[in-house]
Amino acid sequence: MQPEKHHADLRVTALVSIGKHPGSARERRAGQDARAVELGMTLASDGLEVLHAGDPQAEALRSYAGMGLDVLRVLDQEENADVVPALCRYLSQDKPDIILTGVRAESGESSGMLPYLLGEALGMPVVTGIADIVAVDGGEAQLLQALPRGQRRALRVPLPFIASVDMAAPAPRQSAFGPASRARLESTPAGIACPDEVRAQWSEAPARKRPKRLQVVKAKTAADRFKAATAKSQGDGGRILRDKPAPEMAQAIFDLLLEEGVVRGGR
């Protein structure tokens, strides 16, 4: 028998940001943040609060509301203001059981530091890159953390905690126009003005693609060059070192750095 995921008495806060489409650069709901909202609705739809710090007039916020929210709360502050002090002030008073965020934002600084800064300020443990919250029972939550190559790690974390939601989490439901237009966007003054002076001096530009590494082919004939160009790559995609002695794992990393030319071996 599977544990019950929905908890009526659980208080969950999902932090959302303004996303940016990678092709058109139009504002939209952020993919990871939308998954955090979906996870919160599955876990505690009655006790879920969706919170945004920024411009309450941002049209992209309606995309979150269109997932079936009645209310979306916005801490009103300027564009270049630091969101951490305002969120810390509000969350320290609200005191939810679980705070969900995306791993990183799709626009702005996109450093992925928000969960860690909130965890340090609020004194709450932080779990990164979760794929699901299996159950909450006895003051603890059973989580599945997303690992590379589709692996999962089972964790138990005491309440309250902060978790960043990975793209491996369940996909968010479609945003509907009707619920989006009927939802209330309640704007609350942030109560603290903390302009990010460093970010205000930045200049943003589209990222450039990194050049691909070309394989050096030492072929003498046309047949050898054709064979090298059409041959399937024999790379094994790396290795996973787990429960190995520390010297062995350190040596494997050092050998890889030598192979890639990052460091040079001494005589």
Side-chain angles (χ1 to χ4, degrees):
M1 182 176 180
Q2 294 184 348
E4 177 65 32
K5 292 188 64 173
H6 189 274
H7 298 269
D9 56 345
L10 197 64
R11 302 183 64 250
V12 181
T13 297
L15 306 182
V16 297
S17 61
I18 304 299
K20 181 177 291 187
H21 192 278
S24 64
R26 290 185 176 180
E27 292 186 351
R28 63 169 188 176
R29 65 177 185 178
Q32 293 174 347
D33 294 348
R35 281 168 164 76
V37 175
E38 178 68 29
L39 193 57
M41 296 180 71
T42 304
L43 195 63
S45 58
D46 297 333
L48 173 66
E49 180 181 45
V50 179
L51 181 64
H52 172 72
D55 183 10
Q57 302 300 323
E59 191 63 27
L61 296 177
R62 290 286 177 183
S63 299
Y64 295 108
M67 296 174 64
L69 303 177
D70 295 328
V71 180
L72 193 151
R73 185 172 299 280
V74 182
L75 302 180
D76 189 0
Q77 61 179 22
E78 298 180 358
E79 180 180 359
N80 290 328
D82 188 355
V83 301
V84 175
L87 290 175
C88 288
R89 183 175 184 272
Y90 180 85
L91 293 173
S92 61
Q93 298 174 354
D94 191 55
K95 297 181 179 179
D97 298 313
I98 301 175
I99 300 175
L100 300 175
T101 74
V103 175
R104 60 175 50 86
E106 296 180 355
S107 59
E109 189 173 351
S110 299
S111 65
M113 287 297 295
L114 177 64
Y116 301 98
L117 295 174
L118 290 178
E120 182 181 13
L122 299 175
M124 298 170 63
V126 179
V127 185
T128 62
I130 69 169
D132 196 8
I133 298 179
V134 179
V136 178
D137 185 27
E140 285 188 337
Q142 301 178 25
L143 312 179
L144 284 181
Q145 187 180 41
L147 299 177
R149 306 179 188 277
Q151 299 181 90
R152 299 290 185 268
R153 175 188 292 151
L155 301 174
R156 296 185 67 90
V157 185
L159 301 177
F161 66 90
I162 301 174
S164 61
V165 180
D166 190 82
M167 290 297 289
R173 66 194 68 187
Q174 185 177 0
S175 178
F177 176 78
S181 60
R182 292 191 296 269
R184 304 193 316 273
L185 267 63
E186 295 186 352
S187 177
T188 303
I192 182 172
C194 188
D196 193 340
E197 299 178 357
V198 176
R199 181 180 173 183
Q201 300 174 0
W202 288 357
S203 59
E204 297 185 8
R208 295 181 299 177
K209 291 185 177 180
R210 296 182 178 179
K212 294 183 178 180
R213 181 181 300 175
L214 298 179
Q215 183 180 4
V216 178
V217 179
K218 297 180 181 180
K220 296 182 179 180
T221 65
D224 293 338
R225 289 192 294 270
F226 179 78
K227 182 178 180 180
T230 58
K232 185 177 180 180
S233 176
Q234 299 298 322
D236 57 1
R239 293 185 299 157
I240 298 177
L241 298 178
R242 179 182 299 161
D243 299 330
K244 300 290 185 181
E248 181 179 343
M249 293 189 289
Q251 185 64 43
I253 296 174
F254 184 72
D255 293 341
L256 176 62
L257 296 178
L258 283 176
E259 182 182 348
E260 296 293 333
V262 178
V263 297
R264 296 181 180 179
R267 295 182 179 178

